[in-house]
């Protein structure tokens, strides 16, 4: 089974690129944002609604699905696509980020990581081979290598050892992968040090893979550092392979990432903030549960044509959120995902028309951050 990435066009004034990625469950138009369905569901959304908002591919989490309900059960169900009734592409992360986020609950060796479950404290061990085997059982179209994600800040010596271990683990993941209908992506690490990012890119891309990801960003560093490291790292990656920036999903970060040559993004941000009553609008991020909107009978975003904005007002959604009504969380989630996926669609059109930088300027003229 071939995973073909076609680079269709490059923007004339930036590194933004338009592409297509073929997978066993359909073609993905890039650049694209992937909604996160951590536990085999994008919270509050049905698969049909995900299609309505324009989701081409979603992400699920190996760590969480391994713990509950277990990858063996999902394999018995026919794989993740069948289990969750989603017939479009799926990407699974390796669980590495979640395991390394456990800090005091895990022990790292060359063989892998022993950790305590955040659910019940039970002890588990995941190696590069096991992470790959779990993802093979899940059956995602794109699977991620098991990597070590260093914290921010971290000493250069630690980051260097970490990225070298990530390279060794990638080789073991590739050897363990026996399915030809899954594409393994390697992950570039190296912290905030350019020389280490360069070393990691060389080591990871020496291993021929269908695509490459940039990890270890948006982990607490200032935005200007993230953009600087991203702008340095992305051009070092092969131009004929998809480039995936992990864990980034604010509107401005998507625009800045695309401008620097990124093709794929994922983040829990739009769904997480939606459950707190925070929504994206063309004018900035808005907290709809604020008292300001108690008698505001206008849509969340007057420029948006999503189901939520066509049918419901800020006052009604505020009422639902304040009373913890599930419909409120569904409506804000629907809107936020639609907003980001429509933004990606607009960026693809701007690249196609050789006006990406003009689009970027127009976006920032309206978008003022938080309102």
């Amino acid at each position: 089974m071939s995973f073909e990435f076609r680079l269709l066009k490059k923007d004339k004034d930036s590194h933004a690129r338009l592409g297509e990625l073929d997978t066993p469950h359909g073609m993905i138009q890039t650049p694209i944002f992937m909604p996160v369905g951590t536990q085999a569901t994008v919270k509050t959304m049905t698969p049909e609604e995900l299609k309505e908002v324009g989701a081409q591919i979603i992400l699920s989490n190996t760590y969480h699905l391994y713990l509950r309900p277990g990858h063996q059960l999902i394999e018995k169900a026919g794989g993740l696509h069948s289990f969750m009734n989603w017939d479009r592409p799926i990407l699974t992360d390796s669980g590495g980020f979640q395991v390394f986020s456990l800090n005091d609950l895990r022990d790292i060796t060359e063989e892998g990581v022993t950790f305590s479950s955040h659910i019940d404290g039970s002890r588990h061990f995941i190696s590069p081979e096991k992470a790959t085997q779990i993802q093979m059982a899940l059956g995602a179209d794109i699977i991620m290598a098991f990597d070590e994600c260093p914290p921010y800040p971290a000493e250069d010596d630690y980051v260097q050892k970490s990225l070298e271990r990530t390279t060794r683990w990638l080789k073991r993941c590739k050897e363990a992968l026996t399915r030809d209908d899954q594409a393994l992506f390697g992950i570039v690490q190296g912290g905030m040090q350019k020389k280490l990012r360069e070393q990691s890119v060389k080591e990871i891309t020496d291993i021929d893979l269908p695509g490459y990801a940039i990890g270890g960003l948006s982990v607490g560093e200032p935005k200007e550092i993230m953009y600087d490291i991203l702008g340095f790292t992305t051009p070092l990656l092969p131009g004929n392979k998809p480039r995936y920036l992990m864990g980034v999903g604010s509107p401005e970060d998507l625009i800045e990432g695309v401008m620097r040559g990124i093709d794929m993004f994922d983040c829990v941000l739009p769904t997480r903030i939606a459950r707190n009553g925070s929504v994206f609008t063309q004018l900035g991020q808005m907290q709809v549960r604020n008292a300001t909107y108690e008698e505001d009978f206008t849509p969340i975003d007057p420029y948006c044509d999503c189901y939520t904005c066509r049918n419901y007002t800020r006052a009604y959604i505020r009422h639902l959120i304040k009373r913890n009504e599930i419909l409120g969380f569904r409506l804000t989630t629907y809107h936020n995902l639609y907003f980001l996926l429509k933004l990606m669609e607009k960026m693809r059109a701007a690249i196609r028309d050789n006006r990406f930088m003009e689009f970027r300027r127009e976006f920032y003229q309206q978008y003022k951050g938080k309102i």
Side-chain angles (χ1 to χ4, degrees), residues 281-334:
T281 78
Q282 290 293 328
L283 303 179
Q285 189 175 318
M286 182 178 77
Q287 179 50 262
V288 74
R289 68 187 301 149
N290 286 352
T292 307
Y293 306 110
E294 183 177 7
E295 297 183 7
D296 189 336
F297 304 113
T298 62
I300 284 176
D301 185 347
Y303 301 96
C304 180
D305 63 351
C306 79
Y307 170 80
T308 298
C309 290
R310 283 187 285 108
N311 292 283
Y312 301 98
T313 66
R314 295 173 178 180
Y316 179 62
I317 293 169
R318 177 183 183 272
H319 158 72
L320 295 176
I321 297 290
K322 293 287 285 184
R323 274 77 195 167
N324 288 318
E325 286 289 344
I326 294 171
L327 178 59
F329 307 134
R330 282 173 48 74
L331 294 176
T332 51
T333 300
Y334 191 107

Short mmCIF file of all heavy atoms in Angstrom, two decimals, residues 281-334:
data_model
loop_
_atom_site.label_atom_id
_atom_site.label_comp_id
_atom_site.label_asym_id
_atom_site.label_seq_id
_atom_site.Cartn_x
_atom_site.Cartn_y
_atom_site.Cartn_z
N THR A 281 -13.33 33.53 17.08
CA THR A 281 -14.10 34.36 16.15
C THR A 281 -13.12 35.06 15.23
O THR A 281 -11.91 35.10 15.49
CB THR A 281 -14.96 35.42 16.87
OG1 THR A 281 -14.13 36.52 17.27
CG2 THR A 281 -15.66 34.84 18.10
N GLN A 282 -13.64 35.68 14.16
CA GLN A 282 -12.77 36.42 13.25
C GLN A 282 -12.10 37.60 13.95
O GLN A 282 -11.06 38.09 13.49
CB GLN A 282 -13.58 36.94 12.06
CG GLN A 282 -14.05 35.86 11.11
CD GLN A 282 -12.91 35.20 10.37
OE1 GLN A 282 -11.89 35.82 10.07
NE2 GLN A 282 -13.06 33.91 10.07
N LEU A 283 -12.68 38.05 15.07
CA LEU A 283 -12.13 39.20 15.79
C LEU A 283 -11.21 38.79 16.93
O LEU A 283 -10.56 39.64 17.53
CB LEU A 283 -13.27 40.06 16.33
CG LEU A 283 -14.26 40.58 15.28
CD1 LEU A 283 -15.36 41.39 15.94
CD2 LEU A 283 -13.54 41.40 14.22
N GLY A 284 -11.16 37.50 17.26
CA GLY A 284 -10.32 37.03 18.34
C GLY A 284 -11.02 35.95 19.15
O GLY A 284 -12.16 35.57 18.86
N GLN A 285 -10.35 35.47 20.17
CA GLN A 285 -10.92 34.42 21.04
C GLN A 285 -11.85 35.06 22.06
O GLN A 285 -11.48 36.03 22.72
CB GLN A 285 -9.80 33.66 21.72
CG GLN A 285 -10.25 32.42 22.48
CD GLN A 285 -9.07 31.63 23.04
OE1 GLN A 285 -8.06 31.44 22.37
NE2 GLN A 285 -9.20 31.18 24.27
N MET A 286 -13.05 34.52 22.21
CA MET A 286 -14.08 35.12 23.05
C MET A 286 -14.53 34.14 24.13
O MET A 286 -14.71 32.96 23.85
CB MET A 286 -15.28 35.51 22.18
CG MET A 286 -16.41 36.18 22.93
SD MET A 286 -17.75 36.65 21.80
CE MET A 286 -18.53 35.06 21.57
N GLN A 287 -14.72 34.64 25.35
CA GLN A 287 -15.25 33.83 26.45
C GLN A 287 -16.75 34.08 26.54
O GLN A 287 -17.21 35.06 27.13
CB GLN A 287 -14.54 34.19 27.75
CG GLN A 287 -15.01 33.43 28.98
CD GLN A 287 -15.06 31.93 28.78
OE1 GLN A 287 -16.12 31.37 28.50
NE2 GLN A 287 -13.92 31.26 28.90
N VAL A 288 -17.53 33.17 25.94
CA VAL A 288 -18.96 33.40 25.79
C VAL A 288 -19.72 33.28 27.12
O VAL A 288 -20.86 33.73 27.23
CB VAL A 288 -19.55 32.44 24.73
CG1 VAL A 288 -19.67 31.03 25.26
CG2 VAL A 288 -20.90 32.93 24.21
N ARG A 289 -19.08 32.70 28.14
CA ARG A 289 -19.76 32.57 29.42
C ARG A 289 -19.71 33.87 30.23
O ARG A 289 -20.32 33.96 31.30
CB ARG A 289 -19.20 31.40 30.22
CG ARG A 289 -17.77 31.58 30.70
CD ARG A 289 -17.25 30.29 31.34
NE ARG A 289 -18.07 29.90 32.46
CZ ARG A 289 -18.28 28.65 32.85
NH1 ARG A 289 -17.71 27.65 32.19
NH2 ARG A 289 -19.03 28.37 33.89
N ASN A 290 -19.00 34.88 29.74
CA ASN A 290 -18.91 36.15 30.45
C ASN A 290 -20.27 36.84 30.52
O ASN A 290 -21.09 36.73 29.60
CB ASN A 290 -17.90 37.09 29.78
CG ASN A 290 -16.46 36.66 30.04
OD1 ASN A 290 -16.22 35.75 30.84
ND2 ASN A 290 -15.52 37.29 29.36
N ALA A 291 -20.49 37.60 31.58
CA ALA A 291 -21.76 38.29 31.79
C ALA A 291 -22.09 39.28 30.67
O ALA A 291 -23.26 39.58 30.42
CB ALA A 291 -21.74 39.02 33.13
N THR A 292 -21.07 39.75 29.98
CA THR A 292 -21.25 40.69 28.86
C THR A 292 -22.26 40.17 27.85
O THR A 292 -22.97 40.95 27.21
CB THR A 292 -19.90 40.91 28.14
OG1 THR A 292 -18.94 41.30 29.11
CG2 THR A 292 -20.01 41.97 27.05
N TYR A 293 -22.33 38.83 27.70
CA TYR A 293 -23.14 38.24 26.63
C TYR A 293 -24.50 37.71 27.12
O TYR A 293 -25.19 37.05 26.38
CB TYR A 293 -22.33 37.12 25.96
CG TYR A 293 -20.97 37.60 25.50
CD1 TYR A 293 -19.80 37.17 26.14
CD2 TYR A 293 -20.87 38.52 24.47
CE1 TYR A 293 -18.56 37.65 25.74
CE2 TYR A 293 -19.62 39.00 24.06
CZ TYR A 293 -18.47 38.57 24.71
OH TYR A 293 -17.25 39.05 24.31
N GLU A 294 -24.87 38.06 28.35
CA GLU A 294 -26.11 37.55 28.92
C GLU A 294 -27.33 37.91 28.08
O GLU A 294 -28.26 37.11 27.94
CB GLU A 294 -26.29 38.06 30.35
CG GLU A 294 -27.52 37.50 31.04
CD GLU A 294 -27.64 37.98 32.49
OE1 GLU A 294 -26.83 38.85 32.91
OE2 GLU A 294 -28.52 37.47 33.21
N GLU A 295 -27.34 39.11 27.51
CA GLU A 295 -28.46 39.54 26.69
C GLU A 295 -28.03 39.82 25.25
O GLU A 295 -28.64 40.65 24.56
CB GLU A 295 -29.10 40.79 27.31
CG GLU A 295 -29.69 40.54 28.69
CD GLU A 295 -30.38 41.77 29.26
OE1 GLU A 295 -30.52 42.77 28.53
OE2 GLU A 295 -30.79 41.71 30.44
N ASP A 296 -27.02 39.14 24.80
CA ASP A 296 -26.50 39.32 23.44
C ASP A 296 -27.14 38.26 22.54
O ASP A 296 -26.79 37.08 22.61
CB ASP A 296 -24.97 39.18 23.45
CG ASP A 296 -24.33 39.57 22.12
OD1 ASP A 296 -25.04 39.49 21.09
OD2 ASP A 296 -23.15 39.92 22.13
N PHE A 297 -28.04 38.69 21.68
CA PHE A 297 -28.79 37.76 20.85
C PHE A 297 -28.24 37.68 19.43
O PHE A 297 -28.98 37.44 18.47
CB PHE A 297 -30.27 38.16 20.86
CG PHE A 297 -30.85 38.23 22.24
CD1 PHE A 297 -31.25 39.45 22.78
CD2 PHE A 297 -30.94 37.09 23.03
CE1 PHE A 297 -31.76 39.51 24.07
CE2 PHE A 297 -31.44 37.13 24.32
CZ PHE A 297 -31.85 38.35 24.84
N THR A 298 -26.92 37.88 19.31
CA THR A 298 -26.24 37.74 18.01
C THR A 298 -25.47 36.42 18.00
O THR A 298 -25.24 35.81 19.05
CB THR A 298 -25.25 38.91 17.78
OG1 THR A 298 -24.24 38.88 18.81
CG2 THR A 298 -25.98 40.24 17.82
N PRO A 299 -25.04 35.97 16.81
CA PRO A 299 -24.26 34.72 16.74
C PRO A 299 -22.90 34.87 17.42
O PRO A 299 -22.41 35.99 17.62
CB PRO A 299 -24.09 34.50 15.24
CG PRO A 299 -25.06 35.41 14.57
CD PRO A 299 -25.29 36.55 15.49
N ILE A 300 -22.29 33.75 17.75
CA ILE A 300 -20.93 33.76 18.29
C ILE A 300 -20.02 34.60 17.40
O ILE A 300 -19.30 35.47 17.86
CB ILE A 300 -20.37 32.32 18.40
CG1 ILE A 300 -20.99 31.60 19.60
CG2 ILE A 300 -18.85 32.33 18.53
CD1 ILE A 300 -20.57 30.15 19.72
N ASP A 301 -20.06 34.31 16.09
CA ASP A 301 -19.21 35.01 15.13
C ASP A 301 -20.09 35.42 13.94
O ASP A 301 -20.54 34.57 13.18
CB ASP A 301 -18.08 34.09 14.66
CG ASP A 301 -17.08 34.79 13.75
OD1 ASP A 301 -17.38 35.91 13.28
OD2 ASP A 301 -16.01 34.23 13.50
N PRO A 302 -20.33 36.70 13.77
CA PRO A 302 -21.20 37.15 12.68
C PRO A 302 -20.65 36.83 11.29
O PRO A 302 -21.41 36.88 10.31
CB PRO A 302 -21.32 38.66 12.90
CG PRO A 302 -20.12 39.03 13.73
CD PRO A 302 -19.84 37.84 14.58
N TYR A 303 -19.35 36.51 11.21
CA TYR A 303 -18.73 36.19 9.92
C TYR A 303 -18.78 34.69 9.63
O TYR A 303 -18.32 34.26 8.57
CB TYR A 303 -17.27 36.65 9.90
CG TYR A 303 -17.10 38.14 10.12
CD1 TYR A 303 -16.81 38.65 11.38
CD2 TYR A 303 -17.22 39.04 9.06
CE1 TYR A 303 -16.65 40.01 11.58
CE2 TYR A 303 -17.05 40.41 9.25
CZ TYR A 303 -16.76 40.88 10.52
OH TYR A 303 -16.61 42.23 10.73
N CYS A 304 -19.32 33.89 10.56
CA CYS A 304 -19.26 32.43 10.44
C CYS A 304 -20.62 31.89 9.98
O CYS A 304 -21.67 32.36 10.42
CB CYS A 304 -18.88 31.82 11.79
SG CYS A 304 -18.79 30.01 11.80
N ASP A 305 -20.56 30.85 9.11
CA ASP A 305 -21.80 30.25 8.62
C ASP A 305 -21.97 28.81 9.11
O ASP A 305 -22.69 28.03 8.50
CB ASP A 305 -21.86 30.30 7.09
CG ASP A 305 -20.75 29.49 6.44
OD1 ASP A 305 -19.84 29.02 7.16
OD2 ASP A 305 -20.78 29.32 5.20
N CYS A 306 -21.34 28.47 10.24
CA CYS A 306 -21.49 27.11 10.76
C CYS A 306 -22.88 26.92 11.36
O CYS A 306 -23.62 27.87 11.57
CB CYS A 306 -20.41 26.81 11.80
SG CYS A 306 -20.71 27.50 13.46
N TYR A 307 -23.22 25.68 11.65
CA TYR A 307 -24.53 25.34 12.20
C TYR A 307 -24.81 26.13 13.48
O TYR A 307 -25.92 26.66 13.68
CB TYR A 307 -24.60 23.84 12.48
CG TYR A 307 -25.82 23.42 13.27
CD1 TYR A 307 -27.05 23.25 12.64
CD2 TYR A 307 -25.74 23.21 14.65
CE1 TYR A 307 -28.18 22.89 13.37
CE2 TYR A 307 -26.86 22.84 15.37
CZ TYR A 307 -28.08 22.68 14.73
OH TYR A 307 -29.20 22.32 15.45
N THR A 308 -23.82 26.22 14.35
CA THR A 308 -24.00 26.94 15.61
C THR A 308 -24.33 28.40 15.38
O THR A 308 -25.29 28.94 15.95
CB THR A 308 -22.73 26.81 16.47
OG1 THR A 308 -22.49 25.44 16.78
CG2 THR A 308 -22.86 27.59 17.77
N CYS A 309 -23.56 29.05 14.52
CA CYS A 309 -23.75 30.49 14.31
C CYS A 309 -25.01 30.79 13.49
O CYS A 309 -25.59 31.88 13.61
CB CYS A 309 -22.52 31.07 13.62
SG CYS A 309 -21.07 31.11 14.70
N ARG A 310 -25.47 29.84 12.70
CA ARG A 310 -26.70 30.05 11.93
C ARG A 310 -27.96 29.89 12.78
O ARG A 310 -29.02 30.38 12.40
CB ARG A 310 -26.74 29.09 10.74
CG ARG A 310 -25.84 29.48 9.58
CD ARG A 310 -26.04 28.60 8.36
NE ARG A 310 -25.44 27.28 8.51
CZ ARG A 310 -26.12 26.14 8.68
NH1 ARG A 310 -27.44 26.17 8.73
NH2 ARG A 310 -25.49 24.99 8.80
N ASN A 311 -27.84 29.22 13.91
CA ASN A 311 -29.05 28.83 14.64
C ASN A 311 -29.14 29.30 16.10
O ASN A 311 -30.24 29.29 16.67
CB ASN A 311 -29.19 27.31 14.62
CG ASN A 311 -29.50 26.79 13.23
OD1 ASN A 311 -30.63 26.89 12.76
ND2 ASN A 311 -28.49 26.25 12.55
N TYR A 312 -28.02 29.72 16.71
CA TYR A 312 -28.04 30.00 18.14
C TYR A 312 -27.33 31.32 18.47
O TYR A 312 -26.42 31.75 17.74
CB TYR A 312 -27.40 28.85 18.92
CG TYR A 312 -28.10 27.54 18.68
CD1 TYR A 312 -27.61 26.62 17.74
CD2 TYR A 312 -29.28 27.22 19.35
CE1 TYR A 312 -28.27 25.42 17.51
CE2 TYR A 312 -29.95 26.03 19.11
CZ TYR A 312 -29.44 25.13 18.19
OH TYR A 312 -30.10 23.95 17.94
N THR A 313 -27.71 31.91 19.57
CA THR A 313 -27.15 33.20 19.98
C THR A 313 -26.14 33.02 21.11
O THR A 313 -26.11 31.99 21.80
CB THR A 313 -28.25 34.15 20.46
OG1 THR A 313 -28.82 33.61 21.68
CG2 THR A 313 -29.35 34.30 19.42
N ARG A 314 -25.36 34.07 21.30
CA ARG A 314 -24.41 34.09 22.41
C ARG A 314 -25.14 33.94 23.75
O ARG A 314 -24.68 33.22 24.64
CB ARG A 314 -23.62 35.40 22.40
CG ARG A 314 -22.73 35.59 21.17
CD ARG A 314 -22.11 36.97 21.14
NE ARG A 314 -21.22 37.14 19.99
CZ ARG A 314 -20.55 38.25 19.72
NH1 ARG A 314 -20.67 39.30 20.52
NH2 ARG A 314 -19.76 38.30 18.66
N ALA A 315 -26.27 34.61 23.88
CA ALA A 315 -27.03 34.55 25.15
C ALA A 315 -27.49 33.13 25.46
O ALA A 315 -27.37 32.67 26.61
CB ALA A 315 -28.23 35.48 25.07
N TYR A 316 -27.99 32.43 24.44
CA TYR A 316 -28.47 31.06 24.66
C TYR A 316 -27.30 30.13 24.99
O TYR A 316 -27.39 29.32 25.93
CB TYR A 316 -29.22 30.57 23.43
CG TYR A 316 -29.73 29.15 23.56
CD1 TYR A 316 -30.66 28.81 24.54
CD2 TYR A 316 -29.27 28.15 22.71
CE1 TYR A 316 -31.12 27.51 24.68
CE2 TYR A 316 -29.73 26.84 22.83
CZ TYR A 316 -30.66 26.54 23.82
OH TYR A 316 -31.12 25.25 23.94
N ILE A 317 -26.21 30.25 24.24
CA ILE A 317 -25.06 29.38 24.48
C ILE A 317 -24.46 29.67 25.85
O ILE A 317 -24.07 28.74 26.58
CB ILE A 317 -24.02 29.54 23.35
CG1 ILE A 317 -24.62 29.01 22.04
CG2 ILE A 317 -22.72 28.81 23.69
CD1 ILE A 317 -23.81 29.34 20.81
N ARG A 318 -24.41 30.94 26.23
CA ARG A 318 -23.93 31.28 27.58
C ARG A 318 -24.79 30.61 28.64
O ARG A 318 -24.28 30.04 29.61
CB ARG A 318 -23.94 32.80 27.78
CG ARG A 318 -23.53 33.21 29.19
CD ARG A 318 -23.63 34.71 29.40
NE ARG A 318 -23.16 35.04 30.75
CZ ARG A 318 -23.92 35.06 31.83
NH1 ARG A 318 -25.21 34.75 31.73
NH2 ARG A 318 -23.40 35.36 33.01
N HIS A 319 -26.10 30.67 28.46
CA HIS A 319 -27.03 30.03 29.39
C HIS A 319 -26.72 28.54 29.53
O HIS A 319 -26.65 27.99 30.64
CB HIS A 319 -28.46 30.24 28.91
CG HIS A 319 -29.44 29.25 29.45
ND1 HIS A 319 -29.86 29.23 30.77
CD2 HIS A 319 -30.07 28.20 28.84
CE1 HIS A 319 -30.71 28.23 30.95
NE2 HIS A 319 -30.85 27.58 29.80
N LEU A 320 -26.53 27.86 28.39
CA LEU A 320 -26.26 26.42 28.41
C LEU A 320 -24.95 26.11 29.12
O LEU A 320 -24.87 25.19 29.95
CB LEU A 320 -26.21 25.88 26.98
CG LEU A 320 -27.51 25.94 26.17
CD1 LEU A 320 -27.25 25.46 24.74
CD2 LEU A 320 -28.60 25.10 26.82
N ILE A 321 -23.91 26.87 28.79
CA ILE A 321 -22.58 26.65 29.39
C ILE A 321 -22.64 26.86 30.90
O ILE A 321 -22.10 26.07 31.69
CB ILE A 321 -21.53 27.57 28.74
CG1 ILE A 321 -21.35 27.26 27.25
CG2 ILE A 321 -20.19 27.47 29.48
CD1 ILE A 321 -20.69 25.96 26.94
N LYS A 322 -23.30 27.94 31.32
CA LYS A 322 -23.37 28.25 32.75
C LYS A 322 -24.11 27.17 33.53
O LYS A 322 -23.86 26.96 34.72
CB LYS A 322 -24.08 29.60 32.96
CG LYS A 322 -23.31 30.80 32.43
CD LYS A 322 -22.11 31.15 33.28
CE LYS A 322 -22.51 31.83 34.56
NZ LYS A 322 -21.33 32.27 35.35
N ARG A 323 -25.03 26.45 32.85
CA ARG A 323 -25.78 25.38 33.51
C ARG A 323 -25.20 24.00 33.23
O ARG A 323 -25.81 22.98 33.55
CB ARG A 323 -27.26 25.41 33.08
CG ARG A 323 -28.12 26.37 33.91
CD ARG A 323 -27.88 27.79 33.51
NE ARG A 323 -28.40 28.76 34.49
CZ ARG A 323 -28.06 30.05 34.44
NH1 ARG A 323 -27.22 30.49 33.51
NH2 ARG A 323 -28.53 30.89 35.33
N ASN A 324 -24.02 23.97 32.64
CA ASN A 324 -23.35 22.71 32.32
C ASN A 324 -24.21 21.79 31.45
O ASN A 324 -24.17 20.56 31.60
CB ASN A 324 -22.92 21.96 33.60
CG ASN A 324 -21.77 22.64 34.29
OD1 ASN A 324 -20.83 23.08 33.64
ND2 ASN A 324 -21.84 22.74 35.60
N GLU A 325 -24.99 22.38 30.57
CA GLU A 325 -25.79 21.60 29.65
C GLU A 325 -24.93 21.08 28.50
O GLU A 325 -24.16 21.84 27.90
CB GLU A 325 -26.95 22.44 29.09
CG GLU A 325 -28.08 22.69 30.09
CD GLU A 325 -28.89 21.43 30.38
OE1 GLU A 325 -28.78 20.46 29.61
OE2 GLU A 325 -29.64 21.43 31.38
N ILE A 326 -25.06 19.81 28.19
CA ILE A 326 -24.22 19.19 27.17
C ILE A 326 -24.36 19.88 25.82
O ILE A 326 -23.37 20.03 25.09
CB ILE A 326 -24.56 17.69 27.04
CG1 ILE A 326 -24.17 16.97 28.34
CG2 ILE A 326 -23.85 17.05 25.85
CD1 ILE A 326 -24.66 15.54 28.41
N LEU A 327 -25.55 20.34 25.48
CA LEU A 327 -25.74 21.00 24.19
C LEU A 327 -24.82 22.21 24.05
O LEU A 327 -24.29 22.47 22.96
CB LEU A 327 -27.20 21.42 24.00
CG LEU A 327 -27.51 22.17 22.69
CD1 LEU A 327 -27.15 21.32 21.47
CD2 LEU A 327 -28.96 22.61 22.64
N GLY A 328 -24.60 22.94 25.12
CA GLY A 328 -23.71 24.09 25.06
C GLY A 328 -22.31 23.70 24.63
O GLY A 328 -21.69 24.36 23.77
N PHE A 329 -21.78 22.63 25.22
CA PHE A 329 -20.43 22.17 24.88
C PHE A 329 -20.38 21.65 23.45
O PHE A 329 -19.38 21.81 22.76
CB PHE A 329 -19.98 21.08 25.86
CG PHE A 329 -20.11 21.48 27.31
CD1 PHE A 329 -20.66 20.62 28.25
CD2 PHE A 329 -19.67 22.73 27.73
CE1 PHE A 329 -20.77 20.99 29.57
CE2 PHE A 329 -19.79 23.11 29.06
CZ PHE A 329 -20.35 22.24 29.98
N ARG A 330 -21.47 21.01 23.02
CA ARG A 330 -21.53 20.52 21.64
C ARG A 330 -21.50 21.68 20.64
O ARG A 330 -20.80 21.63 19.63
CB ARG A 330 -22.80 19.69 21.42
CG ARG A 330 -22.69 18.27 21.99
CD ARG A 330 -23.98 17.50 21.93
NE ARG A 330 -24.67 17.54 20.65
CZ ARG A 330 -24.30 16.89 19.54
NH1 ARG A 330 -23.20 16.16 19.55
NH2 ARG A 330 -25.00 16.97 18.43
N LEU A 331 -22.24 22.74 20.94
CA LEU A 331 -22.32 23.86 20.01
C LEU A 331 -21.01 24.64 19.94
O LEU A 331 -20.58 25.05 18.85
CB LEU A 331 -23.46 24.81 20.43
CG LEU A 331 -24.88 24.23 20.31
CD1 LEU A 331 -25.89 25.22 20.86
CD2 LEU A 331 -25.20 23.86 18.88
N THR A 332 -20.33 24.84 21.07
CA THR A 332 -19.05 25.56 21.04
C THR A 332 -17.96 24.70 20.39
O THR A 332 -17.12 25.23 19.66
CB THR A 332 -18.62 25.97 22.46
OG1 THR A 332 -18.66 24.83 23.33
CG2 THR A 332 -19.53 27.07 23.01
N THR A 333 -17.99 23.39 20.63
CA THR A 333 -17.01 22.51 19.99
C THR A 333 -17.20 22.49 18.48
O THR A 333 -16.23 22.59 17.72
CB THR A 333 -17.12 21.08 20.55
OG1 THR A 333 -16.89 21.10 21.96
CG2 THR A 333 -16.11 20.15 19.89
N TYR A 334 -18.45 22.35 18.08
CA TYR A 334 -18.76 22.35 16.64
C TYR A 334 -18.21 23.63 16.00
O TYR A 334 -17.54 23.58 14.96
CB TYR A 334 -20.28 22.26 16.45
CG TYR A 334 -20.74 22.00 15.03
CD1 TYR A 334 -21.25 20.76 14.66
CD2 TYR A 334 -20.69 23.00 14.06
CE1 TYR A 334 -21.68 20.52 13.36
CE2 TYR A 334 -21.11 22.77 12.76
CZ TYR A 334 -21.61 21.53 12.42
OH TYR A 334 -22.03 21.29 11.14
#
